[in-house]
Amino acid sequence: MNRKRIVVGVTGASGSPYFLRVLRLLLEANTEVHLAVSDLGKRLLFEESNIAGVSAEKLGVPEFEQNLIIYNDKDLGASIASGSFLHDGMIVLPCSSNTLGAISSGITNSLVQRAASVTLKERRTLIVAHRESPLSLIDLRNMCAVTECGGIIVPLSPGFYMQPKTIGDIVDFMAGKIVDLVGVEHTMPVRWKSSV
Ligand SMILES: Cc1cc2nc3c(=O)[nH]c(=O)nc-3n(C[C@H](O)[C@H](O)[C@H](O)COP(=O)(O)O)c2cc1C
């Protein structure tokens, strides 16, 4: 099987543990990950997960450094900003309402936003793992626009039917659902089997 190449964008919404879990799942599956983190994404990594700075080591995946390509979010000339960069899908995780709005409008001022917009125009898989609560009508309309363009909105709202015991279990469930959507294999407990 060909090695997958996935673009990941991290923005300033709550949910950095989901990103850290997805990143590890992708890398463990031998995926090449191309990563950009917005300024507020960096802040959320620090506020929620005590991570200051973005590197394979700081993100807890030093053993996969050669498969993790990190970009400056201000570099709109980076390879992932171009439709000529071939990849198997992009995940924006977590996705803020700000970045959702940029993707839906097509007015992009950062590498995460531009790469997502290009993913839509090239008709590739775009996963938008949005987090905000409650949702405004603007958020809902932006979600409709992205969905109409082929994007997949994934609210960061884990299910509890697998009876999670820890926060890690909850994170694993949501991370597994996201990784499923880009066709990467994993062993997270997401498959429902009825007990009745
Ligand atoms: C601690 C903290 C938590 C935040 N949580 C959210 C959130 O869950 N959802 C959201 O849409 N914005 C949230 N924000 C606001 C965004 O970070 C802000 O709108 C920012 O402009 C997003 O920029 P970005 O999309 O370039 O990352 C949060 C900000 C901070 C500082």
Side-chain angles (χ1 to χ4, degrees):
M1 197 173 79
N2 280 344
R3 188 157 179 240
K4 283 199 183 263
R5 183 191 251 182
I6 301 290
V7 178
V8 178
V10 176
T11 70
S14 184
S16 58
Y18 295 123
F19 154 65
L20 295 169
R21 195 74 191 96
V22 164
L23 178 66
R24 173 160 284 281
L25 289 177
L26 293 175
L27 292 168
E28 283 177 351
N30 198 29
T31 306
E32 187 180 282
V33 176
H34 293 254
L35 174 69
V37 183
S38 74
D39 282 349
L40 263 290
K42 287 179 189 154
R43 171 143 178 201
L44 264 288
L45 278 170
F46 181 71
E47 303 279 359
E48 295 186 330
S49 302
N50 295 316
I51 292 173
V54 179
S55 67
E57 190 177 346
K58 289 187 168 158
L59 297 173
V61 288
E63 67 273 40
F64 298 112
E65 187 176 14
Q66 71 283 5
N67 289 342
L68 179 60
I69 299 92
I70 298 170
Y71 300 86
N72 181 339
D73 191 46
K74 294 181 178 55
D75 183 8
L76 290 168
S79 55
I80 59 172
S82 170
S84 63
F85 182 84
L86 299 177
H87 63 78
D88 299 292
M90 175 169 180
I91 304 169
V92 186
L93 167 70
C95 183
S96 68
S97 288
N98 177 61
T99 293
L100 170 68
I103 298 169
S104 78
S105 71
I107 302 170
T108 59
N109 292 307
S110 72
L111 184 57
V112 173
Q113 295 169 8
R114 167 70 187 166
S117 179
V118 165
T119 299
L120 284 184
K121 97 174 162 72
E122 297 293 334
R123 310 313 199 256
R124 298 192 182 112
T125 301
L126 177 67
I127 308 302
V128 177
H130 178 259
R131 194 273 151 194
E132 187 51 280
S133 185
L135 297 172
S136 69
L137 182 57
I138 292 171
D139 288 330
L140 293 165
R141 286 189 171 137
N142 287 338
M143 288 180 185
C144 285
V146 169
T147 302
E148 283 163 356
C149 292
I152 302 174
I153 304 293
V154 182
L156 290 171
S157 55
F160 289 84
Y161 48 83
M162 304 299 277
Q163 300 193 0
K165 303 286 183 292
T166 65
I167 291 174
D169 292 342
I170 295 169
V171 170
D172 284 352
F173 173 88
M174 199 66 242
K177 297 282 282 184
I178 291 167
V179 171
D180 270 352
L181 289 166
V182 288
V184 169
E185 289 182 14
H186 65 86
T187 56
M188 295 298 98
V190 300
R191 320 261 172 248
W192 168 248
K193 286 194 197 90
S194 175
S195 53
V196 292

